[in-house]
Amino acid sequence: MTQPSLDPADALAELGRIRLDETSLDDMLSRTAELASRSVPGAREVSVTLVRGRAGWTAAFTGDLARELDEWQYEQNRGPCLDASASGDTISVPDMVAEQRWPTWAAVARTAGAGSSLSIGLPIQQSVVGALNVYGAAPNAFDPSAIAVAEGFAAYAAVALANAHLYDSAATLAEQMREAMRNRAVIEQAKGIIMGERRCSPEEAFALLSKISQDTNRKVRDVAEALAARAARGARV
């Protein structure tokens, strides 16, 4: 069995030190895969599968073998990483030669250089689930102690990824709200300029902004910003 280059406890500690305010979700996923590949005995390559609805994708991987074996499963809509994602269970494929549940995939895996695999469910949050996939070069690469290490890492990683996903979603929503407020502020400013110059109602001012937007094939905000900029320079629109 290939021995890990990083003690599992140190890998968990390193994962726990990652600051969500300084790390993107993509980077968090990549770091999770990299730490797992270094700490799970027998691991050759590692990937992280995410599934939303019926769509699965590999969000992080440490090598092309893992990515290609994952993607085959998404294309065929069957395989251990998808079943682990759906069930949250650990699915072990000890020997690709003897595998009967997904024989075609197992043959592809053998040709690619994988002799065994583990897929461990990651219940990240309600709308997104996933799996930590660990591929071994030889058959029976993962003994009970290696499986226990992988499961422990996956359980810890699931919490970290869930927090990262929530943080990323909250940050995205906050930025969208800030952008909406900026858009509204400049549009209201432009409406005020038009109302002052044309002595019209707010509704009429916005209708004029919308018409200019349509006629020039520009966003209303862009038209409003141009109007505000001209007014700031003292030019009459």
Side-chain angles (χ1 to χ4, degrees):
M1 183 194 305
T2 303
Q3 293 303 310
S5 62
L6 182 66
D7 184 271
D10 292 337
L12 294 181
E14 190 166 339
L15 190 64
R17 285 194 294 269
I18 297 174
R19 291 189 53 176
L20 300 182
D21 60 342
E22 297 177 351
T23 306
S24 69
L25 180 58
D26 287 344
D27 288 342
M28 183 72 173
L29 289 162
S30 296
R31 194 71 180 128
T32 297
E34 188 265 333
L35 288 171
S37 71
R38 293 174 56 199
S39 62
V40 176
R44 172 182 173 180
E45 292 186 13
V46 172
S47 65
V48 178
T49 289
L50 294 182
V51 179
R52 185 189 297 272
R54 296 180 61 85
W57 69 97
T58 296
F61 57 94
T62 62
D64 289 336
L65 179 146
R67 176 181 56 79
E68 291 169 3
L69 295 184
D70 288 356
E71 290 179 349
W72 188 96
Q73 297 178 64
Y74 310 144
E75 291 170 1
Q76 301 299 318
N77 197 32
R78 63 173 61 88
C81 77
L82 293 177
D83 283 13
S85 297
S87 66
D89 295 334
T90 296
I91 297 180
S92 174
V93 180
D95 188 348
M96 295 296 179
V97 174
E99 177 55 42
Q100 296 298 313
R101 292 165 293 182
W102 309 282
T104 305
W105 173 78
V108 172
R110 290 199 308 273
T111 301
S116 53
S117 72
L118 288 173
S119 290
I120 305 164
L122 298 172
I124 298 172
Q125 57 110 337
Q126 189 172 11
S127 63
V128 179
V129 294
L132 180 71
N133 308 304
V134 188
Y135 293 96
N140 302 302
F142 309 109
D143 64 15
S145 64
I147 294 174
V149 169
E151 289 178 332
F153 185 89
Y156 197 94
V159 175
L161 290 174
N163 289 338
H165 188 278
L166 290 172
Y167 184 90
D168 186 71
S169 298
T172 299
L173 178 59
E175 179 54 34
Q176 290 172 344
M177 292 178 66
R178 285 193 292 269
E179 181 66 15
M181 292 174 66
R182 287 193 292 267
N183 288 347
R184 180 170 181 175
V186 73
I187 290 171
E188 289 298 320
Q189 183 182 6
K191 283 169 57 179
I193 294 169
I194 294 172
M195 290 165 60
E197 293 181 347
R198 296 177 177 257
R199 300 295 188 268
C200 62
S201 68
E203 291 77 13
E204 290 170 331
F206 186 75
L208 178 59
L209 280 175
S210 298
K211 185 176 187 307
I212 296 173
S213 170
Q214 293 171 1
D215 291 346
T216 61
N217 195 29
R218 291 185 294 167
K219 295 179 180 179
V220 171
R221 175 185 169 165
D222 293 340
V223 173
E225 284 183 334
L227 182 62
R230 291 175 188 173
R233 294 194 302 266
R236 181 182 177 85
V237 178

